[in-house]
Amino acid sequence: MYFLDESVLPQAMAMGQVILRTMNERGITKRSPIGCLIIGVEQEHELLVLANISYDESLWGAIDYAVVAKGKGVVCARERMDTLAIAKLEPWRFQRGDCRYPGAVYRDGLVVAFSGIEARNDHTISAMIAELVMGLSYMAHEEAQQALQGIAFLE
């Protein structure tokens, strides 16, 4: 697992909004940039939510994207596998009552789930944010290590 300090999650959540808006502006998504992003970790096949953010909740209508995103994250953590892979390759892993939509990714214990646009794009956003969290966490870890040694990182 990577080094998650207090600076990583807010940066990742803000980038989620930028990614979502950019995908919409470029015509990659068919829906307006709305939804819910959840970042968590898997502990003993359960999801521990570290952060979540809702984008344009006033436009959601009847769908509670926070519930859907968390449902995706729960399946992802339990199975330690991306929900897209489960849906396409191993659908027998789903249990009664599970959210069966793609949109959550699993990376070395990190779980990122998004819901709000098309399922494939939900997965894409989750994957991008997961990679961003891992990269920022790695940099935070390196900076902490360098600070302990009295060396400035990337000078």
Side-chain angles (χ1 to χ4, degrees), residues 151-155:
I151 302 170
F153 184 63
L154 294 178
E155 282 192 17

Side-chain angles (χ1 to χ4, degrees), residues 15-30:
M15 285 303 299
Q17 189 165 21
V18 171
I19 291 167
L20 186 59
R21 188 178 28 218
T22 302
M23 287 176 76
N24 183 257
E25 289 169 357
R26 303 217 176 194
I28 297 169
T29 63
K30 293 175 178 59

Side-chain angles (χ1 to χ4, degrees), residues 17 20 31-38 52-70 113-117 122:
Q17 189 165 21
L20 186 59
R31 294 186 193 166
S32 61
I34 61 172
C36 180
L37 174 68
I38 292 176
N52 66 55
I53 188 169
S54 296
Y55 305 112
D56 291 327
E57 194 170 347
S58 63
L59 302 175
W60 285 8
I63 299 172
D64 188 341
Y65 292 111
V67 170
V68 178
K70 186 170 183 187
F114 182 80
S115 185
I117 49 178
D122 286 355

